[in-house]
C-alpha cells in the first residue's frame, strides 16, 4: 500500500462503510452487490486480456463470449431480480455495452408489452432461449429523434396475408441498432404501416433477418456492421436494408393496433403508454451519469493523492498534486456533482416506481411532469458528467491520456448518452415546453402541483425593474437559502423565455417560429430548472442522514455543489438581483474554504463509491496507490512489444537508410 | 452535388477565394499550398486504407511507410523551406502525428542548437540521412512539467572518459517520447549530470539505444512502446530504462556547458536561450487549435446544411438542421472562434519571427512578455478548441459518434495539446506570474510597455465600490468599445488576484502558500487577459482587410465572438460594473440577430478554410454534401463485414442455443 494513500485514509473524519450503505440504499444491498461482484470477479470464465490490446473484431468476439457465458450463469445461479441481473451484467462487462444489450433490454420487453398473447407464445420462449436473438430497429440513416420522419414501409398484401417490408430510399436504411450488425437473427422493425391504400403511421414488426440454422442473411435482407465508432467497440451497431421482405401478418405486434386478415386497420386505444419506458430509460441514464463521474473522480482523486509534482515551497519535496488549489477546484466540485447525481438517480427511480403503480391503476396525472423532468435531467446530467470526465482525465496529466488510466474509455462510452435516447438539446426543449405550458397556466391563475408549483409563487414573478429595490435575502452559508435562490433563478429564466416568445409573436411571426427564435432562452430556462431540482434533491437527502460524520461531510459537498453552480452562472444570479457583487466575492472566498475543508476527506469520499479495482480497471485509480510499477507492467504487455523489432523497421526504415 | 449545399453557396455574400487568400497569408501562398496538396494527394505512394479499419500495429506500420516515402520525396522534390516541409508532412499524414516527428522536430534542431561544431559533424549527417534516428527523451514516468524533479543520472567516469547513464528508480523511467518505443536507434536524454562528486543539474546526452545493424536494443537499454492511448495510434510513444549504459564523454551536448576530460564542469553562459523554442512550439499549437476547430466547423456546418430533421412548422418538410437557433448557437460562435484563433496564430508567428531577429542581436527585452503570452494563449486556445470539437461532433447527432465523421479522431488527437508542452493550468499560472509582476510594477509607478501596459491606466484600477457610480460606457454594437470592456475586465481580475495574494499574506502565510491559495483567481485573471488579447487581435485584423464583402462578414464574426464571450462570462462584466443588467439582455438579443445574419454565409465561411475532402477525410464534411450514400459505402468496408457470419456465432452463440 502506498503510504500517501494510507495517510489520506487515516485522516478521514467519517465512516466510509456507512456512506457506502447510503449510496447502495441499505446495508443489505451493499452486501448483495458485493456478493454478485465477487461471483463474477472470481469466475475464471470472465477473465480476459485487457481489451485495450485487442482489435475491434477481437473485442466483439470477447464480448459475445462473455454474454453467452453470462446468460448460462444467470440461469444457473437463478438470478432473476432485474436489479441483480443489471448488477451481474455490469460486472461481467465492466460497465460496457455488449452485443445482447438490445435483445435483453428492448426486444424481450417490447414483446412482453406490445405482443398479443398468441404472439408472446410464438416468440417469447424462443427469444428467452436465445434461438431468436433480436434487436430493436428504429433509427434510420436519415432520421433520428423525429419519429414521424421514418421512411421504412410495411405494406399489407391481403392476397398472401403478408406485410411487404421495404427500405425505399438510402436515408431509410436502419442505422445504429445495437446487435443488429452480426449478432441478431431477428429485429423488431419500426415501419410506416400501409394497408388498403392508406398510411397509418409507425408500427412495430418482427422481421427475421438471418437463417436460424446458418445465420446467413435471408433473401432481401442487407445487414451488416456500421463500422468503428468513438467507443462501443464491443457492440455491432448495424445497418439493415429491406428489399421486398415478406413477413406473415402475425408478425406485426398486435396487442394494441391490429391489421385484420382483409387489411382492415384497427386503431390502438392510447398513446401515452410508451411514456413510462422512456422515463425509465432516462432515469437509468441519470444513474449512469453519476456512475461514470464517480468512477472518474475515484481515479483522478486517488492518483492526485499519490502523484507528486512541482513545488509549492522552494526546497521542499514535490507535494501531492491534490495540494494544489487548482487541482482541488477541478476535482472536488465534480465529486460533489457525482454525489448529487447519485441522489437524483435514486429519487427518479423511486418516483418512477411509485408512478408506475399509479399508472397501472389508470392514474396518469403525474406522468407529464415526470416525463418532462426526466428529459431535462437526462440532458443536464449527461452534459455535465461528460465534460467532467474529461476534466478528471486531464487532471491526471499525461498519464490520463494513456488507455491504462481507463479514463479515455469511460469518456468515449459515456458521452454517447448525450446523443442517444433523445438528443440533449431536443430533451431540454421538451422540458421547456412543459415549463412554458405551466408558466402560462400559472399566469392564468391556475394552481400548479408538483415540482413546477414554484411558478405560482408571486415573488417569482417580480418585474426585473423592482429587483434592486428589494433586500437581498440569500444567505450563502445556508443550503435552504441557496435552494431558494436556485428556485428564483429558474422562475426568472422561465419568465424570460416566455417573454421572448411573446415578443416574437408581437413581430407577427408564427407560434412555431417564435418558439424557434426563443430556443436559446428556452434551453437556458430548462437548464436552470434542472439545476434547481438537483440542488433541492441534494439538500433533501441530507435530511435523511442520521450519522453525524457522514452528514457533516455530505453537507460540505452539498454546499460546495450549490456555491460552485452559483459561481459558474454568476451572471444569472447578478442579473436577476438574487445576489449582489460583494456576495459573489464572498461565494468565491467560501468556495476556497470548502475546498480546503474537503481535502482530508477526498480519498475517503471516493472510497465510499466502493469500486473494486477489477471494475475500475485503471492503473491510476488502484486502491493501493501503487501506480508506477503497474503502469510499467501494463505497457510491457502492449501488442507493439510482442517483438523487439517491429516489422516496419525491415520493410521501410532499413531500406530508406540505404537510399539516402 | 447535393442541391441544399449548392443553394447555400449561391446565397453567400462574399468572395470565398479572397478570404482563403487572407487565411493563407496571400494569393501566392494559397497557390503553393494547393500545389503541395495536389502533389501528395495524387501520389499513389500515399494512398492507403482508411486508418479506422486498421489495428494499432497496422496503423504504426502504415505511418512508418509513409514517413519513409515522405523523406525520400521531400529530397527528390527539393522541398526545403520549413513551412513547405510542414505543409507536405501534414498532407502526407493528414495532420496526424507520425513516428519521425521527434526526429525531425526535436532531435535534429537540438543537435543544431546545442551540439558543439565537432558534434554536429559527428552526428548531424548520419541523422540527416536517417542512419541515426533520434528522439528527445525528457519526461519521466514520475515527472512532467517540473524539470528539476527529473531523476535520470549521467555520472562521469574520468577513468574511461565515459558517462554512466542510469534510471535509478521506477519513476525515473523515461516515458512518453514519440518514436522512442520502436522507431529510434538514438535518443537525446535529459539527465542530472554528476561529476567530481557534485550534481550540476539537467544536461542533454546522446544515447545510442539500438544496434545500427539489427535494430535490437543495446545491452542495458530497456526500451518499448508505452501502450495504447486516447489517440496518437500512429506514434510509438516509448519508455526507456537505462541500466549502467556507458556513453563517450563526447556524447554530452557541449555547445554551452562542458565536462572536461578530467571531469571538470564548465558552466553555460545563459539559460534564457531555450525560451525561444518554447515560444515557437506554443505559437504552433495555437495554430493547431485554429486548424482543429476549423476542420470541425467545416464538417459540422456542411452536415447541418444537408441534414434534415424534425419540424419547425407542422406539415412542412423537415428543415435543414442549421435552421434551428440552437444549432446556430452551437456552431457559429465556434466558427468565429476558429477565425479568431487563425489570426492569433498569424500574429504569434509574426511576433516570434520579429523577436527572433532581436534575440540574435542580443536584445531579450520582449521575450518575457512573449513567453508569458504564449503560455497563456496555448492554454486558452487549446481548452476552448477541445471543448468546441466535441460540441461540433455532438451537433452532428448520432453520426458524429461514428468514426466516419472524422470528429472523434480530430478530438482525441487534438485534446493532447491541453497537456503536452506545458499542462494548461501550469501555463495559465505562468502567465499569471507575469501579470502579477507587471501589476506590482505598475502599482509602484513604473511605466509598462507592450500588451500589459493597460495595467498602468488609472481607470483600470478603480475601487469596486466606485464602479456603480460611474456611467457605463460600453457600446455593445461597437467592437472597439467591446475590446475596451475586455481590457477593463482583465485589469479588474488581475487586480482581484493580486488582492487575494495580499489578503493571504496578511494571514501571515508564506509567499508560496499565498500564491497557491490564490491560484483560482490567478487562472481566472490569465484567462481574462488572453481573452482580451484574442478579441483585440481579431479587431485589429479587420483593419487590414480591404475587400468590402469579406470585411463585412468578418466584422459580424468578430462581433459575435466578442458578444458571446461576454454572455458566457456575464458575471465578470456585471460584477465589475462594466455592463448593466439591461445591457446584458441587449447582448442576448443582439447575439440572436447575429446568428440569423451569419446563417446565409455559414457554408461559404467554412469553404474558405479550403480543406480538400482528402484532408478532412470525413463522410459528413464532404464538399459535395452527398453524405448518406458514402456513409453506407464506408460501413460496408468495415472489417466486421469481411464475412457475412462472424466467427463468434459458431463459437459462442450457436452452442449457447443448444444449452438453453
Amino acid at each position: 500500500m502506498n503510504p500517501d494513500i494510507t495517510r489520506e485514509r487515516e485522516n478521514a473524519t467519517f465512516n466510509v462503510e456507512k456512506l457506502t450503505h447510503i449510496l447502495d440504499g441499505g446495508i443489505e444491498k451493499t452486501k448483495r452487490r458485493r456478493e454478485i461482484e465477487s461471483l463474477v470477479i472470481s469466475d475464471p470464465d470472465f477473465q480476459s486480456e485487457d481489451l485495450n490490446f485487442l482489435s475491434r473484431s477481437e473485442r466483439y468476439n470477447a464480448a459475445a463470449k462473455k454474454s453467452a457465458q453470462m446468460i448460462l450463469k444467470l440461469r444457473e445461479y437463478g438470478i432473476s431480480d432485474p436489479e441483480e441481473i443489471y448488477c451481474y451484467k455490469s460486472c461481467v462487462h465492466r460497465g460496457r455495452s455488449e452485443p445482447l444489450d438490445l435483445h435483453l433490454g428492448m426486444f424481450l420487453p417490447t414483446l412482453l408489452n406490445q405482443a398479443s398473447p398468441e404472439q408472446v407464445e410464438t416468440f417469447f420462449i424462443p427469444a428467452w432461449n436465445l434461438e431468436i436473438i433480436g434487436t430493436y430497429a428504429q433509427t434510420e440513416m436519415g432520421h433520428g429523434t423525429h419519429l414521424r420522419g421514418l421512411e421504412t414501409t410495411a405494406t399489407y398484401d391481403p392476397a398472401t396475408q403478408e406485410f411487404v417490408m421495404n427500405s425505399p430510399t438510402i436515408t431509410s436504411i436502419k442505422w445504429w441498432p445495437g446487435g443488429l450488425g452480426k449478432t441478431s437473427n431477428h429485429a423488431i422493425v419500426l415501419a410506416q404501416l400501409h394497408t388498403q391504400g392508406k398510411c397509418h403511421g409507425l408500427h412495430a414488426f418482427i422481421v427475421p433477418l438471418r437463417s436460424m440454422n446458418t445465420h446467413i442473411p435471408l433473401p432481401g435482407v442487407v445487414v451488416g456492421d456500421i463500422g468503428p465508432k468513438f467507443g462501443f467497440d464491443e457492440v455491432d451497431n448495424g445497418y439493415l436494408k429491406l428489399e421486398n421482405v415478406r413477413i406473415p401478418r402475425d408478425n406485426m405486434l398486435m396487442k394494441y393496433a391490429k391489421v385484420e386478415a382483409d387489411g382492415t386497420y384497427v386503431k390502438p386505444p392510447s398513446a401515452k403508454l410508451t411514456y413510462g419506458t422512456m422515463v425509465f430509460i432516462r432515469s437509468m441514464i441519470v444513474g449512469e451519469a453519476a456512475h461514470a463521474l464517480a468512477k472518474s473522480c475515484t481515479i483522478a482523486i486517488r492518483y492526485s493523492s499519490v502523484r507528486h509534482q512541482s513545488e509549492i515551497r522552494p526546497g521542499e519535496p514535490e507535494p501531492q498534486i491534490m495540494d494544489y488549489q487548482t487541482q482541488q477546484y477541478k476535482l472536488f466540485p465534480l465529486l460533489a456533482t457525482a454525489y448529487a447525481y447519485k441522489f437524483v438517480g435514486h429519487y427518479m427511480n423511486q418516483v418512477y416506481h411509485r408512478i408506475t403503480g399509479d399508472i397501472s391503476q389508470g392514474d396518469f396525472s403525474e406522468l407529464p411532469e415526470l416525463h418532462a423532468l426526466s428529459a431535462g435531467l437526462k440532458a443536464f446530467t449527461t452534459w455535465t458528467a461528460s465534460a467532467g470526465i474529461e476534466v478528471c482525465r486531464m487532471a491526471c496529466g499525461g498519464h490520463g491520456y494513456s488507455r491504462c488510466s481507463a479514463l479515455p474509455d469511460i469518456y468515449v462510452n459515456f458521452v454517447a448518452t448525450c446523443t442517444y435516447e433523445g438528443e440533449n438539446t431536443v430533451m431540454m426543449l421538451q422540458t421547456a415546453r412543459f415549463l412554458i405550458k405551466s408558466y402560462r397556466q400559472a399566469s392564468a391563475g391556475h394552481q400548479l402541483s408538483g415540482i413546477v408549483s414554484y411558478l405560482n409563487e408571486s415573488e417569482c414573478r417580480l418585474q426585473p425593474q423592482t429587483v434592486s429595490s428589494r433586500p437581498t435575502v440569500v444567505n450563502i452559508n445556508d443550503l435552504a437559502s441557496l435552494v431558494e435562490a436556485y428556485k428564483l433563478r429558474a422562475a426568472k429564466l422561465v419568465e424570460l423565455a416566455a417573454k421572448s416568445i411573446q415578443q416574437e409573436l408581437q413581430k407577427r411571426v408564427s407560434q412555431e417560429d417564435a418558439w424557434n427564435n426563443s430556443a436559446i432562452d428556452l434551453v437556458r430556462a430548462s437548464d436552470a430548472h434542472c439545476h434547481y431540482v438537483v440542488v433541492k434533491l441534494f439538500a433533501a437527502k441530507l435530511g435523511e442522514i442520521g450519522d453525524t460524520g457522514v452528514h457533516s461531510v455530505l453537507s460540505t459537498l452539498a454546499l460546495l455543489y450549490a456555491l460552485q453552480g452559483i459561481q459558474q452562472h454568476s451572471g444569472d444570479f447578478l442579473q436577476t438581483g438574487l445576489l449582489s457583487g460583494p456576495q459573489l466575492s464572498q461565494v468565491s472566498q467560501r468556495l476556497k474554504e470548502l475546498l480546503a475543508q474537503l481535502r482530508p476527506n477526498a480519498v475517503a469520499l471516493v472510497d465510499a463509491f466502493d469500486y473494486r479495482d477489477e471494475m475500475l480497471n485503471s492503473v491510476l485509480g488502484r486502491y493501493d496507490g501503487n501506480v508506477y510499477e503497474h503502469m510499467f507492467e501494463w505497457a510491457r504487455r502492449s501488442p507493439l512489444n510482442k517483438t523487439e523489432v517491429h516489422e516496419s523497421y525491415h520493410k521501410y526504415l532499413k531500406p530508406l537508410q540505404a537510399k539516402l
Side-chain angles (χ1 to χ4, degrees), chain A residues 543-558:
Chain A
E544 299 172 18
I545 292 160
D547 184 88
T548 347
V550 172
H551 188 276
S552 164
V553 72
L554 286 183
S555 300
T556 309
L557 277 179

Side-chain angles (χ1 to χ4, degrees), chain A residues 234-365:
Chain A
E234 288 71 34
V235 183
D236 52 324
N237 299 82
Y239 60 77
L240 172 64
K241 187 163 180 284
L242 295 167
E243 297 168 343
N244 287 312
V245 173
R246 290 185 162 257
I247 57 170
R249 183 173 68 95
D250 291 341
N251 279 28
M252 172 175 155
L253 290 180
M254 297 224 210
K255 184 165 178 185
Y256 302 113
K258 285 184 183 58
V259 170
E260 292 175 353
D262 66 348
T264 305
Y265 177 71
V266 184
K267 269 205 290 195
S270 163
K272 265 191 183 163
L273 289 157
T274 51
Y275 270 32
T277 320
M278 279 150 75
V279 169
F280 176 71
I281 292 175
R282 287 172 193 163
S283 75
M284 291 286 287
I285 293 177
V286 172
E288 290 297 318
H291 188 59
L293 202 48
K295 286 210 284 189
S296 304
C297 286
T298 303
I299 295 165
I301 287 177
R302 285 186 184 157
Y303 180 62
S304 296
S305 79
V306 300
R307 174 78 177 181
H308 291 255
Q309 187 68 38
S310 298
E311 56 185 22
I312 294 174
R313 299 175 204 93
E316 291 191 13
E318 296 182 288
Q320 292 163 280
I321 57 174
M322 199 146 64
D323 286 335
Y324 291 97
Q325 191 183 59
T326 46
Q327 188 79 349
Q328 296 171 10
Y329 189 57
K330 284 175 193 173
L331 298 178
F332 297 173
L334 290 173
L335 179 61
T337 305
Y339 272 94
Y341 292 179
K342 286 263 179 197
F343 300 139
V344 174
H346 291 178
Y347 167 83
M348 287 181 75
N349 200 272
Q350 283 161 10
V351 176
Y352 169 74
H353 284 295
R354 180 168 56 73
I355 293 189
T356 313
D358 295 343
I359 293 172
S360 66
Q361 288 162 29
D363 175 6
F364 293 89
S365 59

Side-chain angles (χ1 to χ4, degrees), chain A residues 14-149:
Chain A
F14 69 98
N15 183 316
V16 170
E17 184 68 11
K18 281 188 182 162
L19 183 48
T20 302
H21 299 158
I22 292 169
L23 287 167
D24 279 320
I27 186 165
E28 281 307 315
K29 292 215 170 174
T30 300
K31 196 170 151 244
R32 182 62 181 145
R33 173 179 58 76
R34 287 180 181 160
E35 278 169 10
I36 292 175
E37 283 174 3
S38 296
L39 209 58
V40 176
I41 287 167
S42 62
D43 191 328
D45 285 328
F46 293 132
Q47 312 307 317
S48 70
E49 204 186 343
D50 194 311
L51 292 174
N52 291 300
F53 298 154
L54 305 182
S55 74
R56 183 160 173 248
S57 182
E58 289 165 341
R59 288 173 80 146
Y60 168 68
N61 192 64
K65 181 180 176 183
K66 282 188 185 175
S67 295
Q69 291 288 351
M70 173 182 83
I71 301 283
L72 285 173
K73 302 209 175 190
L74 281 170
R75 301 203 183 162
E76 182 187 332
Y77 298 139
I79 297 176
S80 60
D81 174 78
E83 264 185 48
E84 293 194 354
I85 291 178
Y86 182 77
C87 177
Y88 191 91
K89 190 174 104 67
S90 295
C91 216
V92 168
H93 290 283
R94 307 294 198 252
R96 290 166 198 267
S97 293
E98 48 100 8
L100 294 183
D101 268 349
L102 267 84
H103 177 78
L104 301 170
M106 286 297 289
F107 190 81
L108 292 177
T110 305
L111 277 186
L112 287 178
N113 293 330
Q114 296 185 36
S116 67
E118 304 79 45
Q119 290 178 319
V120 171
E121 204 148 306
T122 314
F123 294 108
F124 193 79
I125 292 302
W128 180 248
N129 289 336
L130 273 97
E131 288 160 39
I132 289 178
I133 303 173
T135 181
Y136 188 85
Q138 176 175 301
T139 308
E140 296 174 359
M141 205 196 256
H143 309 280
T145 32
H146 185 58
L147 296 186
R148 269 169 293 171

